[in-house]
Amino acid sequence: MSVKSMEMDHVMVMAGQPGGARMKNDFIDDLIQSVTRVVTPNVALLRDVLVIGGMPDKTQNLQYLSYNRSSTLVRGRSVDFSAVAVINNRRAGEWHLTGYPKTISRWIFSSRWTCNPLDLFLNNLRCDPSVMAILTGATSNYTLLGILTMTDLHGSRLINRREQYICPVVAVPGIAARGLQTIQAFEMANQIKKSGMIGFELYRKTGNQMAGI
């Protein structure tokens, strides 16, 4: 390659950077805005995490994000939000689990022995045809998956009973009202409720929070 050709390639790359940067910022802004229907995030932290983590490539189903957590206190309740992954909506159709693979994944990622909420939420998301159809037909290229943890304190003195709710946040930018209802129904159906005494690390799950078990 000649020096002139190398210089021309360099000019073309530099010329493309501003547009590419704007597009990336648009994706990030849309994802952050879509989270606000559930929780007010730490915008600076969330933006940094998304910039560093980046968006999934065209051949990637999702991009995991580095550890992050923002905490707020809302009416006596501790609210923690963590952004865990960016989902590639353009590959949602291929990522969707059906048939025998779906049956196997339901068995592997059962709440009976899977303690990681992220694994449970991701698998239930992939197995839900209604939600996956929304991601496939979304106008946005990406969806932000987060985990919301809400902790209540009840009782007084030394004996306090703590109830904790853990649920997925499926933030799809530009989603229509009907699609949003489906997403919210999925989030509620997959809420995990734990209860126990302060000082004990083991909590008891109650209710039928995890779909398909």
Side-chain angles (χ1 to χ4, degrees):
M1 181 181 290
S2 66
V3 174
K4 184 175 182 179
S5 297
M6 293 176 63
E7 291 177 348
M8 181 60 70
D9 289 343
H10 178 69
V11 170
M12 292 177 66
V13 170
M14 294 302 292
Q17 282 182 347
R22 283 197 300 272
M23 182 176 294
K24 183 175 182 180
N25 287 333
D26 288 344
F27 287 143
I28 290 174
D29 290 341
D30 290 344
L31 291 174
I32 293 175
Q33 179 60 37
S34 62
V35 171
T36 60
R37 71 171 175 84
V38 177
V39 65
T40 302
N42 182 327
V43 174
L45 173 62
L46 184 53
R47 184 181 299 278
D48 286 345
V49 169
L50 290 171
V51 168
I52 294 172
M55 302 295 109
D57 294 333
K58 290 183 178 181
T59 57
Q60 285 183 297
N61 295 321
L62 77 167
Q63 174 69 47
Y64 288 105
L65 301 173
S66 59
Y67 175 81
N68 63 91
R69 175 178 290 180
S70 60
S71 301
T72 56
L73 191 63
V74 181
R75 293 187 295 274
R77 168 182 282 183
S78 174
V79 179
D80 299 325
F81 174 76
S82 299
V84 293
V86 178
I87 298 171
N88 187 353
N89 294 339
R90 298 167 295 181
R91 289 189 54 83
E94 292 83 358
W95 198 43
H96 180 206
L97 289 173
T98 59
Y100 185 69
K102 176 179 178 178
T103 301
I104 294 298
S105 70
R106 285 292 199 192
W107 183 83
I108 295 174
F109 295 102
S110 169
S111 64
R112 294 182 180 92
W113 41 73
T114 302
C115 298
N116 187 344
L118 175 57
D119 291 338
L120 293 170
F121 295 155
L122 271 177
N123 189 68
N124 282 351
L125 183 71
R126 296 181 65 188
C127 293
D128 192 306
S130 298
V131 175
M132 295 308 291
I134 291 173
L135 300 190
T136 301
T139 57
S140 57
N141 288 336
Y142 308 108
T143 291
L144 181 62
L145 177 65
I147 294 180
L148 186 69
T149 303
M150 298 168 289
T151 305
D152 289 329
L153 292 178
H154 299 284
S156 61
R157 298 182 182 178
L158 297 178
I159 302 178
N160 285 335
R161 184 175 184 84
R162 180 164 70 176
E163 292 186 344
Q164 190 174 74
Y165 303 85
I166 306 172
C167 63
V169 175
V170 184
V172 188
I175 190 173
R178 180 173 296 180
L180 180 57
Q181 291 177 354
T182 300
I183 294 294
Q184 290 174 325
F186 172 84
E187 293 170 342
M188 288 297 298
N190 285 277
Q191 179 176 272
I192 301 171
K193 180 182 178 182
K194 295 182 178 182
S195 60
M197 309 302 292
I198 291 180
F200 289 86
E201 294 183 356
L202 296 179
Y203 293 84
R204 180 172 56 88
K205 290 184 181 180
T206 59
N208 184 24
Q209 292 84 20
M210 306 308 297
I213 298 174

Coordinates of all heavy atoms in Angstrom, one line a residue, residues 134-165:
I134 N -41.2 -9.0 20.7 CA -41.1 -7.6 20.8 C -39.7 -7.1 20.5 O -39.5 -6.1 19.8 CB -41.6 -7.1 22.2 CG1 -43.1 -7.3 22.4 CG2 -41.2 -5.7 22.5 CD1 -43.5 -7.1 23.8
L135 N -38.7 -7.8 21.0 CA -37.3 -7.5 20.7 C -37.0 -7.6 19.3 O -36.3 -6.7 18.7 CB -36.4 -8.3 21.6 CG -36.5 -8.3 23.1 CD1 -35.3 -9.0 23.7 CD2 -36.6 -6.9 23.6
T136 N -37.5 -8.6 18.6 CA -37.3 -8.8 17.2 C -37.9 -7.7 16.4 O -37.3 -7.3 15.4 CB -37.9 -10.2 16.8 OG1 -37.3 -11.3 17.5 CG2 -37.6 -10.4 15.3
G137 N -39.0 -7.3 16.7 CA -39.7 -6.2 16.0 C -39.4 -4.8 16.4 O -40.0 -3.8 15.9
A138 N -38.5 -4.6 17.4 CA -38.2 -3.3 18.0 C -37.6 -2.4 16.9 O -36.8 -2.9 16.1 CB -37.4 -3.4 19.2
T139 N -37.9 -1.1 17.0 CA -37.2 -0.2 16.1 C -35.8 0.1 16.5 O -35.0 0.5 15.7 CB -38.0 1.1 16.1 OG1 -38.1 1.7 17.4 CG2 -39.4 0.9 15.5
S140 N -35.5 -0.1 17.8 CA -34.1 0.1 18.3 C -33.3 -1.2 18.1 O -33.8 -2.3 18.1 CB -34.2 0.5 19.8 OG -34.8 -0.6 20.6
N141 N -32.0 -1.0 18.0 CA -31.1 -2.1 17.8 C -30.8 -2.9 19.1 O -30.4 -4.0 19.0 CB -29.8 -1.7 17.1 CG -30.0 -1.3 15.7 OD1 -30.9 -1.7 15.0 ND2 -29.1 -0.4 15.2
Y142 N -30.9 -2.2 20.2 CA -30.5 -2.7 21.5 C -31.5 -2.6 22.6 O -32.3 -1.6 22.6 CB -29.2 -2.1 21.9 CG -28.1 -2.1 20.8 CD1 -27.8 -0.9 20.1 CD2 -27.5 -3.2 20.4 CE1 -26.8 -0.9 19.1 CE2 -26.5 -3.3 19.5 CZ -26.2 -2.1 18.8 OH -25.2 -2.1 17.8
T143 N -31.4 -3.5 23.5 CA -32.2 -3.5 24.8 C -31.3 -3.6 25.9 O -30.3 -4.4 25.9 CB -33.2 -4.7 24.8 OG1 -34.2 -4.4 23.8 CG2 -33.9 -4.8 26.1
L144 N -31.5 -2.8 27.0 CA -30.7 -2.9 28.2 C -31.4 -3.8 29.2 O -32.6 -3.6 29.6 CB -30.5 -1.5 28.8 CG -29.6 -1.4 30.1 CD1 -28.2 -1.9 29.8 CD2 -29.6 0.0 30.6
L145 N -30.7 -4.8 29.7 CA -31.2 -5.7 30.7 C -30.6 -5.3 32.0 O -29.3 -5.2 32.2 CB -30.9 -7.1 30.4 CG -31.3 -8.2 31.5 CD1 -32.8 -8.2 31.6 CD2 -30.8 -9.5 31.2
G146 N -31.4 -5.0 33.0 CA -30.9 -4.7 34.3 C -31.6 -5.5 35.4 O -32.5 -6.3 35.2
I147 N -31.1 -5.4 36.6 CA -31.6 -6.0 37.8 C -32.0 -5.0 38.8 O -31.1 -4.2 39.2 CB -30.7 -7.1 38.3 CG1 -30.5 -8.2 37.3 CG2 -31.2 -7.7 39.7 CD1 -29.6 -9.3 37.8
L148 N -33.2 -5.0 39.3 CA -33.7 -4.0 40.3 C -33.9 -4.8 41.6 O -34.6 -5.8 41.6 CB -35.0 -3.4 39.9 CG -35.5 -2.3 40.7 CD1 -34.6 -1.0 40.6 CD2 -36.9 -1.9 40.3
T149 N -33.3 -4.3 42.7 CA -33.4 -5.0 44.0 C -34.0 -3.9 45.0 O -33.4 -2.9 45.2 CB -32.0 -5.5 44.5 OG1 -31.5 -6.4 43.6 CG2 -32.2 -6.2 45.9
M150 N -35.1 -4.3 45.6 CA -35.8 -3.4 46.5 C -35.9 -4.1 47.9 O -36.3 -5.2 48.0 CB -37.2 -3.0 46.0 CG -37.2 -2.3 44.7 SD -38.9 -2.2 44.0 CE -39.1 -3.9 43.4
T151 N -35.4 -3.4 48.9 CA -35.3 -4.0 50.2 C -36.1 -3.2 51.2 O -35.9 -2.0 51.4 CB -33.8 -4.1 50.7 OG1 -33.1 -4.8 49.7 CG2 -33.8 -4.8 52.0
D152 N -37.0 -3.8 51.9 CA -37.8 -3.2 53.0 C -37.3 -3.7 54.3 O -36.9 -4.8 54.5 CB -39.3 -3.6 52.8 CG -39.9 -2.9 51.6 OD1 -39.5 -1.8 51.3 OD2 -40.9 -3.5 51.1
L153 N -37.5 -2.8 55.3 CA -37.2 -3.2 56.7 C -38.5 -3.1 57.5 O -39.1 -2.0 57.5 CB -36.1 -2.3 57.3 CG -34.7 -2.4 56.7 CD1 -33.7 -1.5 57.4 CD2 -34.2 -3.9 56.9
H154 N -38.8 -4.1 58.2 CA -40.0 -4.2 59.0 C -39.6 -4.6 60.5 O -38.7 -5.3 60.7 CB -41.0 -5.1 58.5 CG -41.4 -4.8 57.1 ND1 -42.3 -3.8 56.8 CD2 -41.1 -5.4 55.9 CE1 -42.5 -3.8 55.5 NE2 -41.8 -4.7 54.9
G155 N -40.4 -4.1 61.4 CA -40.1 -4.5 62.8 C -39.4 -3.4 63.5 O -39.2 -2.3 63.0
S156 N -38.9 -3.7 64.7 CA -38.2 -2.7 65.5 C -37.2 -3.4 66.4 O -37.2 -4.7 66.6 CB -39.2 -1.9 66.4 OG -39.9 -2.8 67.3
R157 N -36.4 -2.7 67.1 CA -35.3 -3.1 68.0 C -34.4 -4.1 67.3 O -34.0 -3.9 66.2 CB -36.0 -3.8 69.3 CG -36.8 -2.8 70.1 CD -37.4 -3.4 71.3 NE -38.3 -2.5 72.0 CZ -39.0 -2.8 73.1 NH1 -38.9 -4.0 73.6 NH2 -39.7 -1.8 73.7
L158 N -34.1 -5.2 68.0 CA -33.0 -6.1 67.5 C -33.6 -7.1 66.5 O -32.9 -7.7 65.7 CB -32.4 -6.9 68.6 CG -31.6 -6.1 69.6 CD1 -31.0 -7.0 70.7 CD2 -30.5 -5.3 68.9
I159 N -34.9 -7.2 66.5 CA -35.5 -8.2 65.6 C -36.2 -7.5 64.4 O -37.3 -7.0 64.6 CB -36.5 -9.1 66.3 CG1 -35.8 -9.8 67.5 CG2 -37.1 -10.2 65.4 CD1 -36.7 -10.7 68.3
N160 N -35.6 -7.5 63.3 CA -36.1 -6.9 62.1 C -36.3 -8.0 61.0 O -35.4 -8.8 60.8 CB -35.3 -5.8 61.6 CG -35.4 -4.5 62.4 OD1 -36.4 -4.3 63.1 ND2 -34.3 -3.7 62.4
R161 N -37.4 -8.0 60.4 CA -37.6 -8.9 59.3 C -37.4 -8.2 58.0 O -38.1 -7.1 57.7 CB -39.0 -9.5 59.4 CG -39.3 -10.6 58.3 CD -40.6 -11.2 58.5 NE -40.9 -12.3 57.6 CZ -40.5 -13.5 57.8 NH1 -39.8 -13.8 58.8 NH2 -40.7 -14.5 56.9
R162 N -36.5 -8.7 57.2 CA -36.2 -8.0 55.9 C -36.9 -8.7 54.7 O -36.7 -9.9 54.6 CB -34.7 -7.9 55.7 CG -34.4 -7.2 54.4 CD -32.9 -6.8 54.3 NE -32.0 -7.9 54.2 CZ -30.7 -7.8 54.1 NH1 -30.2 -6.6 54.0 NH2 -29.9 -8.9 53.9
E163 N -37.6 -8.0 53.9 CA -38.2 -8.5 52.7 C -37.5 -7.9 51.5 O -37.3 -6.6 51.5 CB -39.7 -8.2 52.6 CG -40.5 -9.0 53.7 CD -42.0 -8.9 53.5 OE1 -42.4 -8.0 52.8 OE2 -42.7 -9.7 54.0
Q164 N -37.1 -8.7 50.6 CA -36.4 -8.2 49.4 C -37.0 -8.7 48.1 O -37.4 -9.8 48.0 CB -34.9 -8.7 49.5 CG -34.0 -8.1 48.5 CD -32.5 -8.5 48.7 OE1 -32.2 -9.6 48.4 NE2 -31.7 -7.6 49.3
Y165 N -37.1 -7.8 47.2 CA -37.7 -8.1 45.9 C -36.7 -7.9 44.8 O -36.1 -6.8 44.7 CB -38.9 -7.2 45.6 CG -40.0 -7.3 46.7 CD1 -39.9 -6.5 47.8 CD2 -41.1 -8.2 46.5 CE1 -40.9 -6.6 48.8 CE2 -42.1 -8.3 47.5 CZ -42.0 -7.5 48.6 OH -42.9 -7.6 49.6

